[in-house]
Each structure stands twice: as structure tokens, then as C-alpha cells.
Amino acid sequence: MAKADHELEVLSVKHYTDRLFKFRVTRPRTFRFASGQFVMIGLEVDGKPLMRAYSMASPSWDEELEFFSIKVPNGPLTSRLQHIKVGESILMSARPVGSLVINSLKPGKRLFLVSTGTGIAPFASIIRDPETYERFAEVYLTHTCREVAELTYGKELVKELTEDPLCGEFASQLTHYTSVTREDYPFKGRITHLMENGKFFEDLNIPPLDAENDRVMICGSIEMNADVQAIVEKNGFAEGTQREKGEYVLERAFVG
Ligand code: A2P
């Protein structure tokens, strides 16, 4: 059972669909993290902390913390967390962790952030971090969801980036590529298929993956991670860690 070290006030809540919502909370002054990391957050249930892993969706410089969550109807935590209101509080552990950080990647020219569903959360942090654009000339954020409405959070993020005081000047370095699998949409299909058949690269009019200059960060379900991992490994990419940098890193999008 994870320890609840902080109690944080909820500052805003926004629901996107019946499956997705975001919320923002106060950030403890002592809490420092690298964009892309995660922490345990939760609620007290039956007198005990019920905690799950959540990626910080806000960048490391932000005074508040943002989280983007799925709502699982019978999920022990999210069935409760989805009803959270402004002024109420959530619990958070003290220590941020995770391998989905730019420091685990070798220097490169293009950075591909490949996400499905709530897997966009750590990338919401990374695309709002100026360091990302200082390290990579071109940043490609891909987000694939079942339905069009599930893309809204990411579309808002990218739109707001242009007005962001810290990152606005870098917005031209970011390309957002969205695709949908279970509804009509101009870009249809799983990102794995779109990469393998080359459509993703054709749509953006960019060269295919190249392990020499490209770096990849992956965040989705276990199956999605494994399938994208297989594609990049076939292209000669090696997984990086904070000790030994590589060409790609991955983290699973947490559900519960
Ligand atoms: P699909 O609709 O074909 O299952 P989920 O909500 O289940 O995590 O799915 C989010 C998105 O990720 C969906 O568009 C889904 O496509 C896609 N997806 C699921 N599994 C994989 C996988 N193994 N590789 C690539 N994309 C996947």
C-alpha cells in the first residue's frame, strides 16, 4: 500500500467524455519531478489510502499539478475519483518515479512521442517543457483514441501551447498527429499500422524512422507499448535508462 504523504486541494476539474477527465491540484513546494514521471495519487477509502500511479500531465515548472484520468465504472479508485469536486482533496505520495524522461535518451534531432488514450498524460508534461525543444529540433506527438471526442484534451493542449509564456516560442517545433480507430476520422487506424504501412510518415511528409537521429517515447496500454516497441526495435532502436541512455523509452499508461 503506497503511503499518502500529501493532501492536495483540487483546483479545477474538467470532464471530456464519459471515460476521460482532467483535474488540477495544489503542488507541494517540496515536490520536484522530471517531466514524464509519475507518482501515486488517490483517495481515502474505508479509512485507508487507495492509491494508483498517475503521470504528471503538467510540466515540471508549473505551480500546480495536473492529472488526466480514465473513468473505469467499477475501478476501485477512478469510480470515486471521477466525482471529485473543486475544494475537495486528494492524496499523493512524496516520490516521483518513472523512466519516461528525456534524460534517458541520447541526443537526437526528431523526438516522437507515441501515445494512446490516457497515455498522452506524460507527454502533456513533456510538450510543455522548454527543455524538450532545446534538445530536439522537431517534436512529433501522436495520439490515437477509439473516438474523436477522446482527442479533445490533446487538441486543447497543443492549441494552448502557442499562447504559453514559456513554450509559445517553441510551438512551431511541435507537430500533433491524431488518429481514431472506431469512428470516422480523416486519419484512421492504430498508430502501429500507420507507422508500419508508412502512412504516418506520408501524411506528415517526413522521412521514416532512423535510429541515428530519431528518439521515441512510448506510452499506452501494455499491448500497445509492446507493439510500438517491436517496431522501433526492428528499426535498430535500443531502450534507454537513466544510467545508460538509448534511442527509446516506454511507460505504461496506468488504469484503475
Ligand atoms: P482499437 O480501437 O483498434 O483497439 P484503449 O482505450 O483500449 O487503451 O485504446 C486506445 C487506443 O489504442 C485505441 O484507438 C486502440 O485501438 C489503440 N490500441 C489498442 N491496442 C493497441 C496496440 N496493441 N497497438 C496499437 N494501438 C492499440
Side-chain angles (χ1 to χ4, degrees):
M1 181 70 68
K3 223 167 116 241
D5 300 287
H6 299 288
E7 208 175 308
L8 310 174
E9 187 186 337
V10 176
L11 302 171
S12 67
V13 184
K14 180 166 178 178
H15 292 266
Y16 288 92
T17 68
D18 56 1
R19 292 208 317 143
L20 296 171
F21 72 113
K22 82 164 174 192
F23 57 97
R24 293 180 71 89
V25 299
T26 50
R27 175 176 175 172
R29 273 197 296 151
T30 52
F31 184 69
R32 312 190 74 201
F33 66 96
S35 298
Q37 285 190 310
F38 67 88
V39 73
M40 306 300 289
I41 66 169
L43 295 170
E44 191 173 300
V45 176
D46 300 329
K48 282 187 284 200
L50 177 65
M51 314 281 280
R52 292 286 184 272
Y54 272 82
S55 296
M56 271 67 74
S58 45
S60 53
W61 52 264
D62 200 325
E63 283 172 19
E64 299 172 3
L65 294 174
E66 179 175 309
F67 298 99
F68 183 52
S69 178
I70 195 149
K71 307 175 200 175
V72 181
N74 299 314
L77 178 63
T78 65
S79 63
R80 296 176 167 94
L81 194 61
Q82 65 179 290
H83 300 297
I84 198 91
K85 300 268 183 304
V86 171
E88 294 177 356
S89 54
I90 64 153
L91 306 173
M92 188 178 82
S93 65
R95 211 167 73 85
V97 282
S99 53
L100 200 71
V101 291
I102 278 177
N103 264 338
S104 299
L105 294 173
K106 291 180 184 165
K109 181 167 169 275
R110 303 191 298 180
L111 176 66
F112 292 89
L113 308 170
V114 185
S115 68
T116 54
T118 54
I120 194 174
F123 300 147
S125 177
I126 287 169
I127 64 162
R128 291 188 274 186
D129 189 332
E131 203 182 332
T132 305
Y133 304 98
E134 282 155 13
R135 295 225 197 163
F136 296 94
E138 298 167 30
V139 179
Y140 297 87
L141 168 65
T142 87
H143 192 206
T144 304
C145 291
R146 297 178 187 187
E147 296 166 13
V148 181
E150 294 173 332
L151 298 172
T152 307
Y153 173 71
K155 288 181 176 172
E156 276 182 10
L157 273 179
V158 172
K159 191 162 164 275
E160 284 161 15
L161 195 73
T162 46
E163 292 132 39
D164 189 287
L166 265 178
C167 285
E169 62 173 301
F170 303 113
S172 61
Q173 287 170 244
L174 176 70
T175 302
H176 187 204
Y177 183 88
T178 53
S179 78
V180 166
T181 49
R182 302 194 192 183
E183 268 184 356
D184 264 351
Y185 193 67
F187 304 98
K188 257 208 106 172
R190 291 184 169 192
I191 193 65
T192 41
H193 296 162
L194 298 169
M195 282 183 154
E196 277 180 316
N197 66 19
K199 189 165 183 307
F200 166 68
F201 303 100
E202 277 165 34
D203 285 341
L204 296 179
N205 199 18
I206 57 171
L209 285 181
D210 143 38
E212 178 80 20
N213 296 306
D214 295 339
R215 303 293 170 253
V216 180
M217 302 176 96
I218 309 164
C219 189
S221 60
I222 293 177
E223 297 78 19
M224 179 275 198
N225 282 356
D227 289 354
V228 181
Q229 181 175 30
I231 294 175
V232 297
E233 292 209 341
K234 209 166 63 191
N235 280 279
F237 288 63
E239 188 170 357
T241 63
Q242 297 208 43
R243 231 177 269 151
E244 193 171 347
K245 295 179 198 297
E247 285 89 24
Y248 80 91
V249 284
L250 83 182
E251 192 88 78
R252 94 170 258 231
F254 311 98
V255 174

